[in-house]
Each structure stands twice: as C-alpha cells, then as structure tokens.
Amino acid sequence: MVAIQFLLLATFWSICGGAKILAVMPIPSFSHQVVFMPLWEKLLARGHELTLLTTEPMTGTNLSNLRQIDWSFAKYLFHVKHNYSNIIKKFRENKLECFNQYANMMQDIVVQELEHVEVQRLIGNESEHFDLAIIEYLHPTMLAFSERFNCPYIGVSSMDIMSVAHDMVGNPTNPAIYTDFLAPYESSMSFYERILNTVSYIGTSVYFNLYVFPKEDVTVSKYFGKDLPKLKDIQKKVSMVFLNTHPVLHNVRPLVPNVLQIGGAIHIHKLNALPKELETFLDRAHNGAIYFSLGSNVQLSDLAEETLNMLLEVFKSLPYAVVWKSDIRRLGESTKNINNIYVSNWLPQQEVLAHRHVKLFITQGGQQSLEEAIYYGVPLIGMPFYVDQFANIRRLTKRGACKTLDPQNLKKADLQNAITEVLTNKTYSNSIKELSALLKERAISNVDEAVWWAEYVIRHKGAKILKSEAPQFATLPIPTFGRHRATYSRRGVVFNNAVHADEVFNQIYSV
Ligand SMILES: *[C@@H]1O[C@H](CO)[C@@H](O)[C@H](O)[C@H]1NC(C)=O
Ligand SMILES: *[C@@H]1O[C@H](CO)[C@@H](O)[C@H](O)[C@H]1NC(C)=O
Ligand SMILES: *[C@@H]1O[C@H](CO)[C@@H](O)[C@H](O)[C@H]1NC(C)=O
Ligand SMILES: *[C@@H]1O[C@H](CO)[C@@H](O)[C@H](O)[C@H]1NC(C)=O
C-alpha cells in the first residue's frame, strides 16, 4: 500500500502545471456541487487555470486563476419555478411522470444557463482554448462543451449514474446481476427484483434514447451549432468518468479502467467551530443528542401536519437533546419553550455530527448526509422520501448501521422504539464505526487521485488506452439482435465485442 502511494505521489508531483480547464456543473442542487469543490481547489493549487460554470460559486479560498460564471439563478428555477420537491415526491407513485418532469425541468434549466450572456460570450469566443473539460455527466446537454472546445473531457457525478450511462462507457450492465442505483435492491436480487430491475433498465434505456437525447440534441444544435455529433456519441467519447461512489455506500459492480470511484466523504472539510449557542446546547447534552434533518430538498410541507405534531411530541418526551434542522416558520412558536429541542433553518451538519454527544442521526438518506454520518460514526434512522434515498437507506440498514422508518406512514410508537433501539443496542454504533474505518481506508486521498487522473488526461490528450470499445448494449444479452449487431459489422471495428455479446447471451440462455 505504502509503495503504491509513494509511486503515485512520485509521479504526481512531477507534471504539467498551468493547463486550462473548463468545468461545467449545471445542476442547481448544493449536494451536486459541494462534492467537487475540493477538486477545484486542488486543481487551482496545482497551478491550473480553471473556468468554472456553477450554480454554487466558490468564495474564500485563494481564487487567483479561477474565473467563475455564476449560474446561481438556476436555483430559483429548480426550487420555485419547477418545484423540485414536488417533482421528486412523485417518485413513489409514478416514476415515469417523475422522470418526465425532471427531464423537462433540466431542459429548461440548461437552456437558461446557456442563454447566460457570459456563457454566450465564452462559446462564441474564437480565441478561447481548453486542455480539458470536466462536465457533470448526469444530464447530457452540457457535454457539448467538449466538442465546442475540441478538448478531452471527464464526466463527473456526485452520485452513481444510471445503468444506461454505465452502458455508454462499457461497464457491464446485465440487469439480472447489477442493480440500477435508483432501484432499492441488494446485489443479491430475488427473481422478482431481477425482473423489475430489467424492466426498469429497458424502460430507462428506451426513455433516454428516444426522448431525452433527441430533445437535448435540438438544444445543442441551437446553442453550439448544427455540425456537432449527436449527444449520444458525445457521451460515449468521454475520456474518464469520476463517480462519487464507494463500496461502503453502493453495490459493487465491475467498472472499466477509465471509470474512477472517488467517493467516500470527498467533501468532508476541516471542522469549523459550532455557533456558540449550539455548542453550549450540545455540550450540556450528557445523556446524548439526536440530530434530525431531512436535508435541503425535503420540505416540512412534505410531512403531514399530524406527523409534524407527533415528531414534536416524541422529541419533547425524550431524555435526550434534539437538534432539529427545520423551517422555524412552519414550526412556529411550538418549539420555543422546550428545553431539549434546538431548532434552526440552517445547521453546520458536519460539525454537529462530529460533536461527541451526538449519538443518532435521523435522516432522509441523501448520499452526502450518509457519508458524513459514516465518517463521524453516528448511527442512523433513515426516512427515505425519494430517488436514491430508498436504495441508500436500504443498503445501510442491511449493513447494520441504520433502522428504516416510512415517513409517509410514521407511527409514534415505531419512532420511539426505533430511537431507543438505535441508542441502546450497540450493534448500530459498532456497525457504523466499522463502516467508518472502511470508508477512511485509502491508498491515496480521493482528491489527489482525481487530480492525478485529470492531469493524466491532460498529458495524454484523453485516455484512449483505458477505454472499452464495447458498443452500447454489448454487455447485455437482449438487444444484441438486429440493429445493434448490424451497426457493429457495418463499422467493422469492434467485431470482437459482438462475439463477446453472443458469448454472454449463450452463457445466460445456454443456447
Ligand atoms: C494563490 O495561488 C496562486 C496560483 O496557484 C499562487 O501563485 C499565489 O501565490 C497564491 N496566493 C496566495 C496568497 O496564497
Ligand atoms: C411546491 O409545492 C408544494 C405542494 O404543492 C407547496 O406546498 C410548496 O409551497 C411549493 N413550493 C414552492 C417553492 O412553490
Ligand atoms: C476571448 O478569449 C480570450 C482568451 O481567453 C480573452 O483574452 C478575451 O478577452 C476574450 N474576448 C472576449 C470578448 O471575451
Ligand atoms: C440488536 O440489534 C441487532 C440487529 O438488529 C439484533 O440482531 C439484536 O438481537 C439486538 N440486540 C438486542 C439486545 O436487542
């Protein structure tokens, strides 16, 4: 381990200062942005010039060499115009509707971001040049920047990506074996779950290929010119993909060599002091404290009035202190005179979780929250609301560090029992401490590793040698008939993969 670290570091410090890097991060959700800030900081510290298009402009650090285009107006589109919390609420009842509204919202957002006058100036400026683009990989439109500047690009995601996107880079995606990250299944799926996973895989493939990509192609040709390749082909040209995934948090799946897992608390920062009042509150909580937060996208209005009152009653009756991140206005005066409850709209979550008296985190199960809980060894009660939260919570429950409750159907007794159990049964805190040790175990820090590979891509003008040539669906048995087969032979390059696909097919169906 030490030898590898030394080797990596030895090459690491011997290189390419002063490259020009373009980073494009269009999704206006804090959790999508915060993950990559340490990467931007490190790239700047390494002497690169960074042009960052972001909805969360950086402040405070040494920002010479940084040019930012501020897309923070997009947060308004996200939260107010399109009411994101309303969209994701539909995830439970009607996934297609939820996807559809999400795709339409993102389309509106990227169009308005591209309309930004500074972005127009950047795209139109013939003397602009970049050695590397780093672009959020979850929504395809912005990938066109790599074509505009004719430079290699790295796709990044603050979470896992859908199987459809894994497929694009050549990762095996057989849905009978590998779960889509939005599907709340374990690696060992039951037969029924495999069927559902397969149906959802095919559904999302069709949806992306027939609906999302063609629609976004229209946007691309409007803003970047008509002679660009189709987005689907641009997405496949990616040099590397950096995923904020980690075996402690996600199901293990095979990845081709140009896909790097940089997950595992990359966004953990050096702890700041707690606000004085909160520090005193927590210091006094010798019995232990509970931290309750449903993250930044679940609104209190997502909880029924009775649920809210019930939460208040339960927290009030506990012999523990409760720190509640919540909309104070909605709670009104009801928490004013309760000694063991501290309510605030905004709380420094990492600092709260790091406090020695905090023994339980009640969470909606967003990835960054879970990473922080694991990092600081705080066991969990998970109340998943939408999208990846169900899967995240289910995995941590299986790993023994979490107890699951259904927020839509929350009973007083269940909540009380869950709190008592997680606080008194050592299994939960022991499990999370084991996970914490595993999460922190790395040969090289994830930021250093990401920067090393980014510079590798700059030095070699891409990462061709690491790329799989598997055409889309090659690793899948089902669609290797017909059109896709024909496409391989017509291109005449990747015949081996077609053979490989047949082998896989034969193995699975014993033909
Ligand atoms: C800020 O960063 C630049 C480039 O990395 C460096 O030249 C400069 O000395 C730094 N300034 C400070 C105050 O650290
Ligand atoms: C979003 O919709 C919900 C439910 O329809 C509503 O209560 C909430 O106020 C809306 N949020 C915004 C920002 O409009
Ligand atoms: C075009 O880009 C060059 C190189 O970055 C820059 O010096 C110049 O000011 C830009 N022109 C405009 C009009 O923004
Ligand atoms: C503690 O929790 C674990 C996991 O849920 C369970 O197997 C065990 O029986 C519990 N122990 C006690 C004493 O309740």
Side-chain angles (χ1 to χ4, degrees):
M1 210 79 104
V2 174
I4 297 172
Q5 192 165 0
F6 178 76
L7 267 176
L8 280 175
L9 283 177
T11 14
F12 189 24
W13 304 118
S14 65
I15 9 160
C16 62
K20 293 191 71 160
I21 300 172
L22 173 70
V24 188
M25 306 296 293
I27 301 184
S29 170
F30 185 68
S31 57
H32 285 253
Q33 306 281 337
V34 65
V35 168
F36 296 100
M37 288 179 185
L39 180 58
W40 313 142
E41 279 170 16
K42 188 81 187 208
L43 287 169
L44 289 168
R46 299 272 297 151
H48 300 297
E49 269 177 57
L50 181 66
T51 299
L52 175 61
L53 280 55
T54 177
T55 61
E56 224 41 79
M58 296 205 297
T59 51
T61 44
N62 178 356
L63 302 180
S64 53
N65 281 349
L66 174 67
R67 166 170 57 154
Q68 303 194 83
I69 295 181
D70 182 351
W71 276 339
S72 50
F73 70 88
K75 288 190 275 191
Y76 166 81
L77 304 175
F78 190 77
H79 290 292
V80 181
K81 179 173 172 199
H82 294 279
N83 201 336
Y84 178 68
S85 81
N86 237 3
I87 295 179
I88 43 189
K89 245 194 271 177
K90 303 209 168 74
F91 185 77
R92 266 178 192 238
E93 298 89 42
N94 188 343
K95 289 200 176 44
L96 188 61
E97 167 94 10
C98 172
F99 274 2
N100 237 335
Q101 292 192 358
Y102 181 83
N104 292 339
M105 170 186 77
M106 276 314 297
Q107 176 165 54
D108 181 33
I109 287 175
V110 292
V111 163
Q112 304 216 33
E113 287 172 342
L114 289 169
E115 285 278 346
H116 191 292
V117 56
E118 284 179 62
V119 177
Q120 289 290 306
R121 208 177 292 147
L122 181 74
I123 294 174
N125 186 340
E126 290 300 328
S127 5
E128 288 287 5
H129 155 85
F130 294 101
D131 303 297
L132 170 70
I134 300 177
I135 310 173
E136 197 159 23
Y137 205 56
L138 278 171
H139 191 80
T141 325
M142 297 299 185
L143 302 181
F145 273 99
S146 67
E147 289 294 321
R148 159 64 190 85
F149 293 109
N150 194 20
C151 62
Y153 83 93
I154 294 172
V156 294
S157 171
S158 63
M159 35 171 81
D160 200 350
I161 48 179
M162 301 193 70
S163 286
V164 190
H166 277 290
D167 198 24
M168 292 278 188
V169 289
N171 292 326
T173 48
N174 185 340
I177 308 174
Y178 308 113
T179 58
D180 195 281
F181 88 111
L182 295 179
Y185 312 135
E186 291 304 323
S187 302
S188 52
M189 285 180 280
S190 68
F191 182 68
Y192 179 60
E193 287 173 340
R194 283 184 221 187
I195 290 176
L196 291 184
N197 197 52
T198 304
V199 169
S200 127
Y201 176 82
I202 296 171
T204 45
S205 300
V206 170
Y207 179 72
F208 271 86
N209 285 301
L210 296 187
Y211 182 73
V212 178
F213 279 100
K215 225 171 149 183
E216 296 303 317
D217 279 331
V218 175
T219 305
V220 167
S221 58
K222 175 164 179 210
Y223 290 95
F224 292 91
K226 295 216 182 309
D227 45 352
L228 255 59
K230 295 278 180 232
L231 269 175
K232 216 168 117 180
D233 296 316
I234 301 177
Q235 192 179 31
K236 281 186 216 159
K237 281 187 174 179
V238 68
S239 290
M240 291 193 73
V241 177
F242 294 172
L243 295 180
N244 189 36
T245 57
H246 190 286
V248 159
L249 286 146
H250 297 91
N251 290 341
V252 168
R253 64 185 302 152
L255 301 170
V256 290
N258 65 331
V259 177
L260 183 69
Q261 298 196 86
I262 60 164
I266 195 168
H267 69 290
I268 295 287
H269 59 67
K270 221 171 116 244
L271 292 176
N272 300 311
L274 281 167
K276 204 78 215 136
E277 196 190 347
L278 179 57
E279 189 179 23
T280 317
F281 179 81
L282 280 172
D283 283 349
R284 283 204 201 118
H286 295 287
N287 255 348
I290 297 169
Y291 173 48
F292 177 50
S293 165
L294 298 178
S296 44
N297 292 325
V298 179
Q299 314 286 322
L300 267 192
S301 53
D302 294 338
L303 292 175
E305 190 72 35
E306 312 86 74
T307 311
L308 209 54
N309 292 333
M310 186 271 279
L311 285 170
L312 201 56
E313 246 178 78
V314 171
F315 292 156
K316 211 157 57 172
S317 68
L318 291 170
Y320 313 107
V322 177
V323 176
W324 188 348
K325 177 178 172 288
S326 180
D327 181 353
I328 297 184
R329 271 173 316 179
R330 172 91 198 274
L331 282 176
E333 300 288 295
S334 47
T335 56
K336 258 279 170 61
N337 297 314
I338 306 175
N339 291 333
N340 74 324
I341 303 182
Y342 181 100
V343 186
S344 175
N345 281 342
W346 180 86
L347 287 160
Q349 178 157 299
Q350 296 188 28
E351 283 75 10
V352 171
L353 288 170
H355 193 281
R356 64 190 183 286
H357 288 158
V358 174
K359 304 288 186 215
L360 165 64
F361 179 14
I362 305 178
T363 173
Q364 92 287 14
Q367 187 180 323
Q368 274 78 42
S369 287
L370 297 186
E371 288 176 85
E372 290 164 16
I374 296 172
Y375 191 88
Y376 290 110
V378 181
L380 303 148
I381 290 177
M383 297 189 189
F385 277 79
Y386 43 67
V387 207
D388 60 329
Q389 294 169 0
F390 297 99
N392 294 343
I393 289 295
R394 179 156 170 184
R395 283 191 291 267
L396 282 186
T397 301
K398 179 153 184 242
R399 288 157 173 64
C402 179
K403 193 143 180 82
T404 308
L405 292 176
D406 179 359
Q408 316 289 7
N409 190 14
L410 197 57
K411 303 272 183 308
K412 187 173 177 185
D414 293 343
L415 179 63
Q416 282 168 325
N417 292 342
I419 291 175
T420 313
E421 168 148 14
V422 177
L423 283 170
T424 54
N425 183 335
K426 286 274 172 261
T427 316
Y428 297 93
S429 59
N430 290 343
S431 301
I432 201 126
K433 289 199 171 80
E434 277 168 33
L435 293 176
S436 182
L438 290 170
L439 191 80
K440 290 172 182 170
E441 186 90 22
R442 298 193 77 99
I444 175 173
S445 97
N446 36 13
V447 184
D448 286 350
E449 197 177 7
V451 169
W452 191 89
W453 282 108
E455 292 182 345
Y456 174 100
V457 173
I458 294 169
R459 284 197 298 278
H460 301 288
K461 303 188 168 44
K464 272 212 181 67
I465 200 89
L466 302 177
K467 273 172 74 86
S468 161
E469 289 187 349
Q472 199 187 7
F473 301 126
T475 53
L476 254 190
I478 303 143
T480 50
F481 304 114
R483 197 170 65 79
H484 294 280
R485 271 305 292 277
T487 319
Y488 316 151
S489 29
R490 215 175 34 244
R491 281 190 196 144
V493 243
V494 281
F495 185 63
N496 276 342
N497 289 295
V499 172
H500 170 69
D502 283 352
E503 277 168 12
V504 174
F505 179 83
N506 290 344
Q507 273 169 23
I508 290 178
Y509 292 103
S510 314
V511 175

